[in-house]
Amino acid sequence: MANFIQFIISKHKEILHLLLQHITLTSFSIFLSILIGVPLGILIGKIKPLRKPILAFINLIQAIPSMALLGLLIPFIGIGSIPAIMMVVIYSLLPIVKNTYTGLNNIDANILEAAEAMGLTPLQTLKIIQMPLALPMIMAGIRISAVTSVGLMTLAAFIGAGGLGYLIFSGIQTVNNNMILAGAIPAAILALIVDYIFGKIEVFVSPKGCSSIPNKKKSIVFNILLLVLAGIIIFSVANNFSKGHKKNIVVGSLNFSEQLILGNMISDLIEDHTDLNVDRKLNLSGSSIAFSAINTGEIDMYVEYTGDLLINVLKDPIIHDPKKAYEHIKPEMENKYNLTLLEPLGFNNTYTIATRKDIAEKYNLNTISDLAKISNKLVFSPTMIFVNRPDGLVGLSKVYNLKFQDVKPMDGSLRYSALNNDNSQAIDAFSTEGLLKAFNLKVLKDDKQFFPPYNAFPLIRKETLEKYPELKDTLNLLTNKLNNETMIELNYKVDQLGESPEKVAKDYLMSQKLISSN
């Protein structure tokens, strides 16, 4: 408990910043869900032929996994807050639409007949009678959606939109329970606060006779709550608008420690050596998302690896020589995608296979060929990405004739925990991961040289480099400044010692005199 409190104190600024992002994104989502869902519920109540197709479509969307929906949205609207908000809005529509429809259509027919007899038009009946009577039911649906939105918005971190999910997923990646709790607890508290606020609104909008709260008091409190919500939305719009005018360069990164360190390194270099402002869209959930984002202009640069571009983007055969691989990729990226490869950083973060040292001693494991001989006795827990990659388990199994007893994919640091708890006996890893050192694992030699080189380098949009030519010399300050041993140590500081990627990046740059100490 003391460690957690100390962690919260040391990270309070970052936590507050991410909490504000989470509130901003959630507020927008709730507002848009109401703006779309309530009229849609009224529409299907008035036009019966639309009821079944609209409800069927909303139900169908609801059945799509949230991560899959995010993945489907990215090619069309990119990364960042917009797809995150759209995803949450789509998932929030069902209870609002259904409750609006149910509330309006469960009103006593005699009341509606009386309204018609009094000469009220359908619009007047809706405004004066139906909406006030249906409002408690509608608010119940909005309340459900609002609380759900808080939890769903944690996924925004996967696509660079920030929020409390950044802490949760970073904690999972680095086996840092304090970081997970620092994101999860505020999210849970925020959900309870949202539930309380909308619960009060639900009571306040109850028709006279259904609530013990005087109408005057209800009106005052209701107006205060609306003003608070409006204030949050206005502040969020103004904040995003001002950011949009200050932003010059967008730097991205993937969602593991090394990438977060490198993303902060190149951001710090740019801010120290140029007059440009940097917007950091770090923690993107995979190479495909990062490449899609740079290809569509959502980000201007990020650190990429030769193996990823060679195999997953260009779909070319493996080139084992690092220099030849780089020289092959560079013109291809410029000609096909208008992307420029800057100079390599100096380390090769290729795939490896690792196991515990006691398992290695028991079976005399030194190479992957040794592993193949007894693989039918072991459980393998690779990352989900590794399972289906041609330079992953698919190709590796063919080359080494691996036949594991079972394959249990799991992402991030969870596979390290599974290995440590003997739920699995082998995992895939990156050769510069700090967790290899943290868990004191045995890395098996790739004796058949299956894995391609994964030399790291900054990948930047050609038009960005043409617009800001000073970026080339600035980013090339990192050329050959990072070898495998250095990268392992830097990752270890994040993964095991609990230092932030931002601090580790800045400290290293200052130690190399690449940025000023101010």
Side-chain angles (χ1 to χ4, degrees), residues 72-94:
L72 292 171
L73 289 173
I74 288 168
F76 300 101
I77 52 178
I79 61 169
S81 57
I82 294 176
I85 290 171
M86 282 190 66
M87 181 268 294
V88 173
V89 168
I90 289 170
Y91 275 98
S92 301
L93 284 179
L94 186 62

PDB file of all heavy atoms in Angstrom, residues 72-94:
ATOM      1  N   LEU A  72     -11.490  -1.494 -37.379  1.00  0.00           N
ATOM      2  CA  LEU A  72     -12.238  -1.215 -38.602  1.00  0.00           C
ATOM      3  C   LEU A  72     -12.350   0.283 -38.879  1.00  0.00           C
ATOM      4  O   LEU A  72     -12.395   0.711 -40.033  1.00  0.00           O
ATOM      5  CB  LEU A  72     -13.644  -1.824 -38.501  1.00  0.00           C
ATOM      6  CG  LEU A  72     -13.720  -3.356 -38.506  1.00  0.00           C
ATOM      7  CD1 LEU A  72     -15.136  -3.826 -38.167  1.00  0.00           C
ATOM      8  CD2 LEU A  72     -13.295  -3.926 -39.849  1.00  0.00           C
ATOM      9  N   LEU A  73     -12.381   1.081 -37.805  1.00  0.00           N
ATOM     10  CA  LEU A  73     -12.536   2.528 -37.980  1.00  0.00           C
ATOM     11  C   LEU A  73     -11.236   3.211 -38.401  1.00  0.00           C
ATOM     12  O   LEU A  73     -11.264   4.216 -39.107  1.00  0.00           O
ATOM     13  CB  LEU A  73     -13.031   3.157 -36.665  1.00  0.00           C
ATOM     14  CG  LEU A  73     -14.478   2.856 -36.255  1.00  0.00           C
ATOM     15  CD1 LEU A  73     -14.756   3.391 -34.855  1.00  0.00           C
ATOM     16  CD2 LEU A  73     -15.457   3.456 -37.256  1.00  0.00           C
ATOM     17  N   ILE A  74     -10.095   2.668 -37.968  1.00  0.00           N
ATOM     18  CA  ILE A  74      -8.803   3.342 -38.186  1.00  0.00           C
ATOM     19  C   ILE A  74      -8.496   3.621 -39.657  1.00  0.00           C
ATOM     20  O   ILE A  74      -8.068   4.732 -39.993  1.00  0.00           O
ATOM     21  CB  ILE A  74      -7.665   2.534 -37.528  1.00  0.00           C
ATOM     22  CG1 ILE A  74      -7.753   2.681 -36.006  1.00  0.00           C
ATOM     23  CG2 ILE A  74      -6.295   3.010 -38.003  1.00  0.00           C
ATOM     24  CD1 ILE A  74      -6.881   1.718 -35.242  1.00  0.00           C
ATOM     25  N   PRO A  75      -8.711   2.668 -40.604  1.00  0.00           N
ATOM     26  CA  PRO A  75      -8.392   2.976 -42.007  1.00  0.00           C
ATOM     27  C   PRO A  75      -9.209   4.136 -42.577  1.00  0.00           C
ATOM     28  O   PRO A  75      -8.778   4.781 -43.531  1.00  0.00           O
ATOM     29  CB  PRO A  75      -8.728   1.663 -42.737  1.00  0.00           C
ATOM     30  CG  PRO A  75      -8.667   0.611 -41.689  1.00  0.00           C
ATOM     31  CD  PRO A  75      -9.142   1.267 -40.437  1.00  0.00           C
ATOM     32  N   PHE A  76     -10.375   4.391 -41.995  1.00  0.00           N
ATOM     33  CA  PHE A  76     -11.264   5.425 -42.542  1.00  0.00           C
ATOM     34  C   PHE A  76     -11.085   6.772 -41.847  1.00  0.00           C
ATOM     35  O   PHE A  76     -11.142   7.822 -42.488  1.00  0.00           O
ATOM     36  CB  PHE A  76     -12.722   4.984 -42.422  1.00  0.00           C
ATOM     37  CG  PHE A  76     -13.020   3.708 -43.156  1.00  0.00           C
ATOM     38  CD1 PHE A  76     -13.108   2.503 -42.487  1.00  0.00           C
ATOM     39  CD2 PHE A  76     -13.181   3.703 -44.536  1.00  0.00           C
ATOM     40  CE1 PHE A  76     -13.370   1.323 -43.156  1.00  0.00           C
ATOM     41  CE2 PHE A  76     -13.438   2.525 -45.222  1.00  0.00           C
ATOM     42  CZ  PHE A  76     -13.534   1.329 -44.534  1.00  0.00           C
ATOM     43  N   ILE A  77     -10.865   6.765 -40.522  1.00  0.00           N
ATOM     44  CA  ILE A  77     -10.789   8.048 -39.802  1.00  0.00           C
ATOM     45  C   ILE A  77      -9.513   8.199 -38.990  1.00  0.00           C
ATOM     46  O   ILE A  77      -9.379   9.135 -38.210  1.00  0.00           O
ATOM     47  CB  ILE A  77     -12.019   8.250 -38.897  1.00  0.00           C
ATOM     48  CG1 ILE A  77     -12.225   7.034 -38.002  1.00  0.00           C
ATOM     49  CG2 ILE A  77     -13.257   8.523 -39.705  1.00  0.00           C
ATOM     50  CD1 ILE A  77     -13.397   7.181 -37.056  1.00  0.00           C
ATOM     51  N   GLY A  78      -8.575   7.259 -39.160  1.00  0.00           N
ATOM     52  CA  GLY A  78      -7.269   7.406 -38.531  1.00  0.00           C
ATOM     53  C   GLY A  78      -7.256   7.041 -37.060  1.00  0.00           C
ATOM     54  O   GLY A  78      -8.091   6.287 -36.581  1.00  0.00           O
ATOM     55  N   ILE A  79      -6.274   7.616 -36.341  1.00  0.00           N
ATOM     56  CA  ILE A  79      -6.109   7.324 -34.924  1.00  0.00           C
ATOM     57  C   ILE A  79      -6.476   8.559 -34.101  1.00  0.00           C
ATOM     58  O   ILE A  79      -6.846   9.588 -34.642  1.00  0.00           O
ATOM     59  CB  ILE A  79      -4.660   6.899 -34.609  1.00  0.00           C
ATOM     60  CG1 ILE A  79      -3.691   8.040 -34.975  1.00  0.00           C
ATOM     61  CG2 ILE A  79      -4.300   5.629 -35.332  1.00  0.00           C
ATOM     62  CD1 ILE A  79      -2.289   7.836 -34.466  1.00  0.00           C
ATOM     63  N   GLY A  80      -6.353   8.441 -32.786  1.00  0.00           N
ATOM     64  CA  GLY A  80      -6.619   9.584 -31.923  1.00  0.00           C
ATOM     65  C   GLY A  80      -8.016   9.567 -31.337  1.00  0.00           C
ATOM     66  O   GLY A  80      -8.681   8.531 -31.259  1.00  0.00           O
ATOM     67  N   SER A  81      -8.485  10.734 -30.933  1.00  0.00           N
ATOM     68  CA  SER A  81      -9.734  10.827 -30.175  1.00  0.00           C
ATOM     69  C   SER A  81     -10.984  10.544 -30.999  1.00  0.00           C
ATOM     70  O   SER A  81     -11.967  10.017 -30.481  1.00  0.00           O
ATOM     71  CB  SER A  81      -9.850  12.215 -29.543  1.00  0.00           C
ATOM     72  OG  SER A  81      -9.779  13.224 -30.529  1.00  0.00           O
ATOM     73  N   ILE A  82     -10.969  10.870 -32.297  1.00  0.00           N
ATOM     74  CA  ILE A  82     -12.191  10.729 -33.106  1.00  0.00           C
ATOM     75  C   ILE A  82     -12.664   9.276 -33.195  1.00  0.00           C
ATOM     76  O   ILE A  82     -13.823   8.983 -32.902  1.00  0.00           O
ATOM     77  CB  ILE A  82     -12.010  11.347 -34.510  1.00  0.00           C
ATOM     78  CG1 ILE A  82     -11.840  12.863 -34.389  1.00  0.00           C
ATOM     79  CG2 ILE A  82     -13.199  11.029 -35.411  1.00  0.00           C
ATOM     80  CD1 ILE A  82     -11.557  13.572 -35.687  1.00  0.00           C
ATOM     81  N   PRO A  83     -11.806   8.308 -33.599  1.00  0.00           N
ATOM     82  CA  PRO A  83     -12.286   6.925 -33.626  1.00  0.00           C
ATOM     83  C   PRO A  83     -12.648   6.392 -32.238  1.00  0.00           C
ATOM     84  O   PRO A  83     -13.565   5.582 -32.098  1.00  0.00           O
ATOM     85  CB  PRO A  83     -11.120   6.136 -34.233  1.00  0.00           C
ATOM     86  CG  PRO A  83      -9.923   7.006 -34.077  1.00  0.00           C
ATOM     87  CD  PRO A  83     -10.431   8.405 -34.132  1.00  0.00           C
ATOM     88  N   ALA A  84     -11.934   6.857 -31.209  1.00  0.00           N
ATOM     89  CA  ALA A  84     -12.251   6.414 -29.843  1.00  0.00           C
ATOM     90  C   ALA A  84     -13.646   6.875 -29.448  1.00  0.00           C
ATOM     91  O   ALA A  84     -14.452   6.098 -28.905  1.00  0.00           O
ATOM     92  CB  ALA A  84     -11.215   6.952 -28.859  1.00  0.00           C
ATOM     93  N   ILE A  85     -13.953   8.140 -29.714  1.00  0.00           N
ATOM     94  CA  ILE A  85     -15.284   8.679 -29.393  1.00  0.00           C
ATOM     95  C   ILE A  85     -16.353   7.982 -30.215  1.00  0.00           C
ATOM     96  O   ILE A  85     -17.418   7.616 -29.696  1.00  0.00           O
ATOM     97  CB  ILE A  85     -15.312  10.206 -29.629  1.00  0.00           C
ATOM     98  CG1 ILE A  85     -14.454  10.913 -28.574  1.00  0.00           C
ATOM     99  CG2 ILE A  85     -16.732  10.741 -29.601  1.00  0.00           C
ATOM    100  CD1 ILE A  85     -14.233  12.383 -28.824  1.00  0.00           C
ATOM    101  N   MET A  86     -16.071   7.767 -31.506  1.00  0.00           N
ATOM    102  CA  MET A  86     -17.052   7.087 -32.359  1.00  0.00           C
ATOM    103  C   MET A  86     -17.352   5.682 -31.856  1.00  0.00           C
ATOM    104  O   MET A  86     -18.507   5.247 -31.829  1.00  0.00           O
ATOM    105  CB  MET A  86     -16.546   7.031 -33.808  1.00  0.00           C
ATOM    106  CG  MET A  86     -16.701   8.326 -34.558  1.00  0.00           C
ATOM    107  SD  MET A  86     -16.354   8.134 -36.322  1.00  0.00           S
ATOM    108  CE  MET A  86     -17.676   7.059 -36.841  1.00  0.00           C
ATOM    109  N   MET A  87     -16.309   4.968 -31.445  1.00  0.00           N
ATOM    110  CA  MET A  87     -16.495   3.609 -30.940  1.00  0.00           C
ATOM    111  C   MET A  87     -17.394   3.602 -29.707  1.00  0.00           C
ATOM    112  O   MET A  87     -18.332   2.814 -29.596  1.00  0.00           O
ATOM    113  CB  MET A  87     -15.134   2.997 -30.615  1.00  0.00           C
ATOM    114  CG  MET A  87     -15.159   1.561 -30.084  1.00  0.00           C
ATOM    115  SD  MET A  87     -15.229   1.456 -28.275  1.00  0.00           S
ATOM    116  CE  MET A  87     -13.642   2.134 -27.822  1.00  0.00           C
ATOM    117  N   VAL A  88     -17.127   4.504 -28.783  1.00  0.00           N
ATOM    118  CA  VAL A  88     -17.913   4.564 -27.549  1.00  0.00           C
ATOM    119  C   VAL A  88     -19.356   4.984 -27.839  1.00  0.00           C
ATOM    120  O   VAL A  88     -20.297   4.440 -27.258  1.00  0.00           O
ATOM    121  CB  VAL A  88     -17.247   5.514 -26.528  1.00  0.00           C
ATOM    122  CG1 VAL A  88     -18.143   5.711 -25.308  1.00  0.00           C
ATOM    123  CG2 VAL A  88     -15.894   4.964 -26.094  1.00  0.00           C
ATOM    124  N   VAL A  89     -19.529   5.959 -28.738  1.00  0.00           N
ATOM    125  CA  VAL A  89     -20.880   6.404 -29.101  1.00  0.00           C
ATOM    126  C   VAL A  89     -21.691   5.255 -29.691  1.00  0.00           C
ATOM    127  O   VAL A  89     -22.845   5.030 -29.320  1.00  0.00           O
ATOM    128  CB  VAL A  89     -20.823   7.584 -30.096  1.00  0.00           C
ATOM    129  CG1 VAL A  89     -22.191   7.850 -30.702  1.00  0.00           C
ATOM    130  CG2 VAL A  89     -20.311   8.835 -29.394  1.00  0.00           C
ATOM    131  N   ILE A  90     -21.068   4.508 -30.594  1.00  0.00           N
ATOM    132  CA  ILE A  90     -21.765   3.386 -31.240  1.00  0.00           C
ATOM    133  C   ILE A  90     -22.215   2.355 -30.202  1.00  0.00           C
ATOM    134  O   ILE A  90     -23.337   1.852 -30.243  1.00  0.00           O
ATOM    135  CB  ILE A  90     -20.859   2.742 -32.311  1.00  0.00           C
ATOM    136  CG1 ILE A  90     -20.710   3.693 -33.510  1.00  0.00           C
ATOM    137  CG2 ILE A  90     -21.421   1.396 -32.765  1.00  0.00           C
ATOM    138  CD1 ILE A  90     -19.650   3.274 -34.504  1.00  0.00           C
ATOM    139  N   TYR A  91     -21.330   2.051 -29.244  1.00  0.00           N
ATOM    140  CA  TYR A  91     -21.675   1.064 -28.212  1.00  0.00           C
ATOM    141  C   TYR A  91     -22.681   1.608 -27.204  1.00  0.00           C
ATOM    142  O   TYR A  91     -23.333   0.839 -26.499  1.00  0.00           O
ATOM    143  CB  TYR A  91     -20.413   0.601 -27.479  1.00  0.00           C
ATOM    144  CG  TYR A  91     -19.702  -0.514 -28.183  1.00  0.00           C
ATOM    145  CD1 TYR A  91     -18.610  -0.253 -29.007  1.00  0.00           C
ATOM    146  CD2 TYR A  91     -20.124  -1.822 -28.062  1.00  0.00           C
ATOM    147  CE1 TYR A  91     -17.956  -1.270 -29.676  1.00  0.00           C
ATOM    148  CE2 TYR A  91     -19.474  -2.853 -28.732  1.00  0.00           C
ATOM    149  CZ  TYR A  91     -18.394  -2.575 -29.534  1.00  0.00           C
ATOM    150  OH  TYR A  91     -17.767  -3.583 -30.211  1.00  0.00           O
ATOM    151  N   SER A  92     -22.805   2.924 -27.113  1.00  0.00           N
ATOM    152  CA  SER A  92     -23.709   3.531 -26.137  1.00  0.00           C
ATOM    153  C   SER A  92     -25.127   3.727 -26.663  1.00  0.00           C
ATOM    154  O   SER A  92     -26.036   4.045 -25.890  1.00  0.00           O
ATOM    155  CB  SER A  92     -23.147   4.891 -25.683  1.00  0.00           C
ATOM    156  OG  SER A  92     -21.875   4.736 -25.112  1.00  0.00           O
ATOM    157  N   LEU A  93     -25.320   3.560 -27.945  1.00  0.00           N
ATOM    158  CA  LEU A  93     -26.620   3.878 -28.542  1.00  0.00           C
ATOM    159  C   LEU A  93     -27.744   2.932 -28.123  1.00  0.00           C
ATOM    160  O   LEU A  93     -28.881   3.369 -27.909  1.00  0.00           O
ATOM    161  CB  LEU A  93     -26.512   3.871 -30.077  1.00  0.00           C
ATOM    162  CG  LEU A  93     -25.834   5.077 -30.717  1.00  0.00           C
ATOM    163  CD1 LEU A  93     -25.779   4.901 -32.228  1.00  0.00           C
ATOM    164  CD2 LEU A  93     -26.576   6.356 -30.362  1.00  0.00           C
ATOM    165  N   LEU A  94     -27.450   1.645 -28.002  1.00  0.00           N
ATOM    166  CA  LEU A  94     -28.508   0.652 -27.805  1.00  0.00           C
ATOM    167  C   LEU A  94     -29.407   0.949 -26.603  1.00  0.00           C
ATOM    168  O   LEU A  94     -30.625   1.021 -26.756  1.00  0.00           O
ATOM    169  CB  LEU A  94     -27.899  -0.748 -27.701  1.00  0.00           C
ATOM    170  CG  LEU A  94     -28.920  -1.897 -27.642  1.00  0.00           C
ATOM    171  CD1 LEU A  94     -29.756  -1.938 -28.917  1.00  0.00           C
ATOM    172  CD2 LEU A  94     -28.193  -3.236 -27.454  1.00  0.00           C
TER     173      LEU A  94
END
